[in-house]
């Protein structure tokens, strides 16, 4: 029994879409992305948009290695997990640290990384604060505090503040020079052809951006725009744009046009393709459910029940791949106790398990026997043969069971309190007890 799926381990920079790693047949999309970034010259930010749990991170981690090893792309690709870095204040430092080690220690990128690290320090947020006059006059990092000090100071103190202001302007000139040097260093990474176009590209993947705290996520976008706007340097963002728009509103207020704000930073938008059968029907969810059921080693009939009820749930309320994974993880505890059980009973247990995971409040209602004849219809759509049996399990009272069971051996196999039995013997049993 496994509580985590047996999936191929992804080694960023080495793993590709070959073999068993590409569960949803997204190899062709990866090839198109490689062709695009290799062809683009002007700095481009591509947003790979999708809901949480839609498989963006899985795709991007595979694409890092596949770009060169599988698709024979030319651009250097760097992977940056923004969520792991958002405990820091300044994304510039983290980005520079991610860029440096992608090639051999003596390679061009590694050498340029040393220069970028030196230049990033005076450009970081900490270096942008004004501390000269603040140390003497207790002002904050705002320039206005310096001018307030000028108005209040007298004699030699006033002259000291003026000197500090001169130092401030000198410091700002140094920052501008550092900015120019930073971008010039980036330009050394993109070889220029005889026509003046960048021949060597650098692609930086920013993953999990929408999971970051709002101030860090937006600061990262602004850093990309201001510091990395260099021909041949591209970004691919793994992001849920709807959630990122919420980050914009959290910073600038609910009245802000978040969509227009993000357009300042994002050049192109793309979406991961759905898997389709030959008739054009989208089969991403059942295909993934089949893969994950196989990874958990579910028996054939039990796997069929799991896939069927996942598809029925998805038809009613769409599931993300992450939600399917959570359902499978819980079902892995239930499945060993279902071996040899009747098909309709397996279906009922499977359906209740899925409800308990994806609709916890409904699960609480089922535990309290607080449901009616519409309970099933609110959770699942048709297409599952066991639906009628499960509907009976929820709807029939004890008296109904007594009346029906007298002349129906098929029904008599059920416990009169079947729903309670499902929770007691399956869902709430942490360790499987095989009969």
């Amino acid at each position: 029994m496994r509580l985590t799926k047996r999936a191929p381990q992804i080694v960023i920079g080495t793993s590709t879409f070959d073999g068993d790693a590409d569960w949803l047949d997204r190899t062709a999309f990866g090839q198109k992305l490689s062709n695009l970034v290799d062809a683009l010259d002007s700095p481009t930010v591509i947003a790979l948009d999708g809901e949480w749990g839609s498989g963006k991170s899985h795709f991007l981690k595979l694409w890092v290695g596949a770009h060169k090893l599988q698709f024979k792309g030319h651009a250097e690709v760097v992977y940056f997990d923004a969520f792991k870095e958002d405990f820091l204040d300044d994304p510039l430092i983290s980005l520079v640290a991610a860029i440096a080690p992608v090639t051999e220690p003596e390679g061009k990128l590694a050498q340029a990384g040393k220069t970028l690290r030196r230049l990033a320090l005076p450009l970081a947020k900490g270096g942008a604060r004004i501390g000269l006059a603040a140390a003497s006059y207790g002002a904050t990092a705002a320039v206005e505090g310096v001018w307030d000090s000028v108005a209040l100071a007298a004699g030699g103190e006033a002259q000291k503040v003026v000197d500090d202001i001169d130092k401030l302007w000198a410091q700002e000139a140094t920052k501008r020079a550092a900015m120019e040097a930073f971008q010039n260093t980036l330009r050394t990474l993109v070889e220029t052809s005889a026509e003046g176009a960048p021949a060597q590209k650098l692609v930086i993947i920013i993953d999990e951006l929408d999971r970051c705290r709002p101030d860090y996520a937006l600061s990262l976008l602004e850093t990309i725009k201001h510091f990395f706007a260099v021909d041949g340097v591209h970004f691919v963002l793994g992001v849920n744009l709807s959630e990122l728009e919420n980050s914009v509103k959290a910073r600038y207020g609910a009245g802000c046009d978040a969509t227009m704000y993000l357009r300042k930073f994002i050049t192109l938008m793309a979406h991961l393709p759905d898997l389709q059968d030959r008739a054009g029907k989208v089969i991403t969810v059942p295909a993934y459910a089949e893969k994950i059921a196989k990874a958990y080693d579910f028996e054939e009939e039990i796997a069929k029940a799991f896939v069927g009820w996942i598809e029925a749930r998805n038809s009613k309320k769409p599931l993300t791949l992450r939600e399917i994974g959570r359902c499978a993880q819980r079902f892995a505890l239930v499945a060993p106790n279902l071996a040899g059980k009747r098909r309709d009973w397996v279906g009922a247990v499977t359906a209740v398990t899925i409800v308990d995971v994806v609709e916890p409040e409904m699960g609480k209602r089922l535990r309290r026997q607080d449901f009616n004849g519409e309970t099933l219809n609110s959770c699942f759509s048709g297409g599952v043969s066991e639906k009628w049996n499960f509907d009976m399990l929820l709807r029939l009272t004890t008296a109904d069971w007594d009346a029906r069971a007298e002349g129906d051996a098929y029904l008599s196999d059920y416990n009169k309190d079947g729903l309670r039995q499902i929770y007691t013997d399956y869902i709430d049993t942490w360790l499987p007890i095989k009969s």
Side-chain angles (χ1 to χ4, degrees), residues 312-362:
R313 169 63 183 186
N314 186 68
S315 297
K316 191 70 176 183
K317 295 181 181 179
L319 290 167
T320 67
L321 304 185
R322 188 169 295 162
E323 286 175 319
I324 297 172
R326 289 172 50 224
C327 289
Q329 187 176 43
R330 175 69 71 84
F331 195 61
L333 286 173
V334 174
N337 283 335
L338 290 175
K341 301 295 183 182
R342 283 176 34 168
R343 185 167 58 89
D344 48 4
W345 181 251
V346 170
V349 175
T350 307
V352 175
T353 303
I354 292 172
V355 170
D356 204 60
V357 173
V358 299
E359 286 200 43
E361 291 302 316
M362 180 64 75

Side-chain angles (χ1 to χ4, degrees), residues 171-182:
Q171 185 183 47
E172 290 304 310
T174 300
K175 289 175 195 171
R176 291 178 184 276
M179 166 79 86
E180 184 176 350
F182 186 91

